[in-house]
Amino acid sequence: MVGYLQGLGARSLGMFERLGRGAVFFINILLCIPSVLVRPRLLVAQLHSVGVLSFSLIVVAGLFVGMVLALQGFYTLSDFGAEGMLGVMVAASLVRELGPVVAALLFAGRAGSALTAEIGLMKATEQLSGMEMMAVDPVARIMAPRFLAGLLSMPILATLFSAVGILGGYFIGVGLLGIDEGGYWSQMQAKIDFNQDIMNGLIKSIVFGWVVTWIAVFEGYDAIPTSEGVSRATTRTVVHSAFAVLLLDFILTALMFGDI
Amino acid sequence: MTENKPLIKIRDVHFSRGSKLIFDGVNMDIQRGKVTAIMGPSGTGKTTLLKLIGGQLRPSKGSIEVDGRDVHKLRHAELYKLRKRMGMLFQSGALLTDISVFDNVAYPLREHTKLPETMIRHLVLMKLQAVGLRGARDLMPSELSGGMARRVALARAIALDPMMIMYDEPFTGQDPISMGVLVQLIKVLNDALGLSSIVVSHDVQETCAIADYVYLVSNGKVVDHGSPADLAQSESQWSQQFMQGMADGPVPFHYAAREYASDLLGVNE
Amino acid sequence: MHISRSIEILVGFFVAMGFVAMFFLSMEVSNLGGLNGDEGYEVTASFENIGSLKVRAPVSIAGVKIGRVTAINFDSESFEALVTMQIESKYDQLPSDSSASILTAGLLGEQYIGLEAGGEDELLQQGSMLELTQSALVLEQIIGQFLFSSDSEDE
């Protein structure tokens, strides 16, 4: 019993210690962001590997999620004779929830794991140490540009996901199921509010971008520099990011839409 | 001038990793313009010592002075300034894998100077010429052999014309030819550029061929030191065992264990 | 560190696509496109009961959407609901004696305001008040009336 309690205590202490180091690391990154802004090329290179390379995945996934939403929504809504509301349903689900959340989960799997593996391998092959000994701060040159790229890419990807999904819903709803085209768009425009829905979705995606990239970069930086350590860190990135995204989504949804 | 003062003074350094004591009061003087070798069995923390000198790790006790300044009392910016004058060659080379050989050598120049690109080109080609790899400038690090990667890393380490270079196990895992090339390079660069070199290694032959002074480290302490010739004549049994590579001696062949017979019989304590 | 042109172009394309998607969401999907600015004029109407009419509900005439509800207040003197609606400026030819009723789109749909043109020569303008209004039909009241009338028939 005492041993169990001791184990629990040690684990919680370890967790808090890691959380603390993560927070210090985050502050270090923030302090280094000005040095990234004077070297925009570093940022462009990372926007490519973090954002552009996730582009096709996000677009295809968004299209299919939108089409599935339209199919499923149609069969439910047609029971109430409310097929005209299909556009609203597709758009509201995408813009408020599925766009930011699914895009963030895919982003964690595609870009987050790649970031952790890359940084972990750089650590394992002494590249980070080598930079330090060349009097170059790896946090400023390696971590901060990647963090900033993730923070900027995530809202773009989530917006794309929602937009493509709404188009996918349009193809299924109007093209396949024969809903009135004008109704699809006009009902949507009547119901979706810019501040309430689109802006809140955007805020969600920025928060998710922050948390996923922070976890990914920190896990890489903190990885045990062996092949096993890096593979574990990569797994942790995906699991912790997914968990953090879903938890934060609940909190943000309660704050944003809770009082309606 | 401070010619006869040592470049690096290590005084009573203690360091432990977790509960394991790695250094237990190490004292060393590294002279200017010389090749100093630090040798010892694997796992004695020789690489750790280099990281302590470079300020990447902090000793739990004791001090390390480089060029008259205590490395671990410097502020961040001052430490980085000092590091620009230190070169370090990592065991793996530690080249940045996403840029070419040329860009790797140019990296410290571009980071720390505002030289025009034409001048950087000249400097990089000069450094690559010195290690004999001017023709490999457009290759990516993944296309290099281990020995070539180390030579590129060496070119990068001398890019900023440092006052000293630390070599971390430069000979490990090299074929005889690249080993010979590296041995010669270390010596030639040290003399031609007026550097001070610290070579961490356990390859006795190669290291003794170029070292002016040798420290033998074992179990967290300096066990012997002197010129290679002195050590060859050393009366210390440990030194003899290490220098001649004997299987048994003060460092036993067997890892500490219970008595063989009782172990075989499976007698439990 | 050299970055190839193609990477820069791809990143530029990526960011531009982000802006296009954002533009699409704001203009085509949300109400931002429909309002296009704050042009238009406001008229008010008071109703005995607005049912479940909400701010931002559509205002239409002959089934064509011409504006939306911008505010709903309670008038504590007349004990009626005061509804402010904004009508797009291109629909500025509406007679001042037009009537407003609160209607429901479909059986379960949301409530909206339907205007019906009157015959006056004078036109509605900023600040006009619609005099003729018809309240929302509240389902419970209709059922109540129905039960009440069938009861009285029995007697």
Side-chain angles (χ1 to χ4, degrees), chain B residues 39 41 54 98 106 117 127 136 138 169 186 189 194 209 269:
Chain B
M39 295 201 279
D98 55 344
E117 200 55 29
K127 307 293 176 188
D138 293 325
E169 304 278 7
I186 293 174
L189 286 179
E269 279 141 46

Side-chain angles (χ1 to χ4, degrees), chain A:
Chain A
M1 185 63 192
V2 174
Y4 176 75
L5 274 179
Q6 187 193 352
L8 190 71
R11 270 172 160 263
S12 341
L13 281 179
M15 209 178 76
F16 279 117
E17 196 249 327
R18 245 178 99 71
L19 211 62
R21 267 186 299 142
V24 170
F25 177 71
F26 175 63
I27 291 167
N28 276 339
I29 286 185
L30 282 190
L31 293 178
C32 289
I33 281 183
S35 76
V36 179
L37 297 178
V38 300
R39 284 183 182 75
R41 284 171 158 266
L42 288 175
L43 183 61
V44 169
Q46 291 312 316
L47 274 175
H48 178 258
S49 61
V50 170
V52 175
L53 296 182
S54 311
F55 181 83
S56 49
L57 172 71
I58 291 290
V59 167
V60 173
L63 192 68
F64 280 106
V65 168
M67 296 200 301
V68 168
L69 273 177
L71 276 177
Q72 294 285 10
F74 179 79
Y75 292 115
T76 310
L77 289 174
S78 59
D79 282 351
F80 301 99
E83 297 96 326
M85 301 297 281
L86 187 70
V88 180
M89 201 211 81
V90 169
S93 346
L94 278 169
V95 169
R96 286 180 169 195
E97 289 293 336
L98 293 176
V101 171
V102 179
L105 294 178
L106 292 172
F107 182 75
R110 170 68 185 77
S113 60
L115 278 179
T116 306
E118 187 194 11
I119 295 171
L121 279 177
M122 289 183 89
K123 189 178 182 189
T125 53
E126 296 179 311
Q127 291 184 52
L128 297 184
S129 245
M131 291 182 87
E132 274 183 22
M133 285 310 296
M134 282 192 283
V136 175
D137 188 357
V139 175
R141 291 295 179 281
I142 303 290
M143 317 298 160
R146 282 163 176 75
F147 175 77
L148 206 56
L151 198 64
L152 293 175
S153 298
M154 193 49 228
I156 297 182
L157 292 171
T159 312
L160 275 169
F161 189 95
S162 300
V164 172
I166 289 167
L167 289 177
Y170 170 80
F171 295 141
I172 292 295
V174 176
L176 192 72
L177 302 171
I179 290 171
D180 176 52
E181 174 173 357
Y184 186 84
W185 295 115
S186 65
Q187 290 279 2
M188 207 188 281
Q189 288 180 12
K191 275 289 197 177
I192 303 291
D193 183 53
F194 183 75
N195 289 323
Q196 184 67 41
D197 297 318
I198 297 197
M199 273 317 188
N200 278 343
L202 197 70
I203 292 169
K204 275 187 178 181
S205 68
I206 292 172
V207 172
F208 296 161
W210 162 70
V211 72
V212 170
T213 328
W214 176 32
I215 289 177
V217 174
F218 178 67
E219 286 290 355
Y221 186 71
D222 200 49
I224 299 161
T226 59
S227 40
E228 197 206 351
V230 173
S231 85
R232 279 179 166 203
T234 310
T235 311
R236 269 204 306 272
T237 292
V238 177
V239 174
H240 289 185
S241 302
F243 186 69
V245 163
L246 295 173
L247 182 75
L248 280 173
D249 183 50
F250 171 73
I251 294 172
L252 287 175
T253 305
L255 286 178
M256 289 169 173
F257 305 107
D259 55 341
I260 301 178

Side-chain angles (χ1 to χ4, degrees), chain B residues 228-241:
Chain B
D230 292 344
L231 288 181
Q233 306 299 318
S234 170
E235 286 170 14
S236 154
Q237 282 194 345
W238 193 95
S239 307
Q240 288 298 330
Q241 189 193 0

Side-chain angles (χ1 to χ4, degrees), chain B residues 170-187:
Chain B
F171 310 123
T172 312
Q174 298 297 310
D175 62 70
I177 300 175
S178 28
M179 188 119 75
V181 169
L182 283 166
V183 169
Q184 204 202 341
L185 265 179
I186 293 174
K187 188 69 183 164

Side-chain angles (χ1 to χ4, degrees), chain B:
Chain B
M1 284 300 280
T2 49
E3 271 307 324
N4 35 15
K5 267 194 181 171
L7 177 67
I8 301 176
K9 282 204 286 194
I10 301 176
R11 289 290 174 269
D12 193 32
V13 161
H14 289 66
F15 182 78
S16 44
R17 179 165 282 150
S19 56
K20 193 179 172 223
L21 193 65
I22 293 185
F23 291 122
D24 185 15
V26 168
N27 293 290
M28 284 184 193
D29 285 316
I30 310 251
Q31 303 296 333
R32 287 168 199 270
K34 301 274 200 267
V35 178
T36 306
I38 299 170
M39 295 201 279
S42 309
T44 42
K46 301 186 295 291
T47 306
T48 308
L49 189 63
L50 293 187
K51 289 198 167 175
L52 285 166
I53 295 173
Q56 290 185 301
L57 296 172
R58 297 186 77 86
S60 46
K61 199 180 143 194
S63 70
I64 295 176
E65 272 184 30
V66 176
D67 202 21
R69 319 191 63 176
D70 188 334
V71 175
H72 301 98
K73 289 195 177 127
L74 292 177
R75 283 179 299 128
H76 189 74
E78 290 173 325
L79 177 62
Y80 269 54
K81 215 170 143 191
L82 182 63
R83 279 186 188 162
K84 287 184 205 173
R85 300 167 59 210
M86 296 178 172
M88 177 146 173
L89 188 71
F90 286 86
Q91 201 170 342
S92 60
L95 296 176
L96 300 174
T97 43
D98 55 344
I99 53 177
S100 70
V101 165
F102 182 95
D103 289 329
N104 259 294
V105 180
Y107 191 82
L109 293 167
R110 288 179 179 151
E111 281 290 336
H112 295 306
T113 68
K114 290 196 166 29
L115 295 176
E117 200 55 29
T118 49
M119 196 175 285
I120 286 182
R121 197 183 126 83
H122 286 149
L123 283 171
V124 171
L125 293 184
M126 220 162 81
K127 307 293 176 188
L128 281 173
Q129 173 75 14
V131 298
L133 289 176
R134 191 164 45 83
R137 61 174 177 264
D138 293 325
L139 297 181
M140 293 304 281
S142 55
E143 299 170 283
L144 302 174
S145 71
M148 283 161 85
R150 272 180 218 182
R151 280 151 73 190
V152 173
L154 187 52
R156 185 178 69 177
I158 58 173
L160 286 173
D161 293 320
M163 59 181 176
M164 55 177 278
I165 299 189
M166 297 184 275
Y167 298 89
D168 185 8
E169 304 278 7
F171 310 123
T172 312
Q174 298 297 310
D175 62 70
I177 300 175
S178 28
M179 188 119 75
V181 169
L182 283 166
V183 169
Q184 204 202 341
L185 265 179
I186 293 174
K187 188 69 183 164
V188 167
L189 286 179
N190 190 71
D191 296 347
L193 302 178
L195 298 166
S196 311
S197 306
I198 305 170
V199 181
V200 154
S201 179
H202 48 237
D203 294 283
V204 176
Q205 298 302 321
E206 290 73 18
T207 313
C208 284
I210 52 168
D212 296 307
Y213 205 80
V214 178
Y215 283 91
L216 292 183
V217 181
S218 178
N219 289 331
K221 284 191 159 62
V222 174
V223 288
D224 210 346
H225 58 95
S227 68
D230 292 344
L231 288 181
Q233 306 299 318
S234 170
E235 286 170 14
S236 154
Q237 282 194 345
W238 193 95
S239 307
Q240 288 298 330
Q241 189 193 0
F242 185 80
M243 299 299 279
Q244 293 171 25
M246 293 184 289
D248 210 350
V251 180
F253 172 70
H254 292 289
Y255 191 81
R258 281 191 290 155
E259 206 207 327
Y260 193 33
S262 67
D263 224 1
L264 283 178
L265 290 169
V267 182
N268 282 320
E269 279 141 46

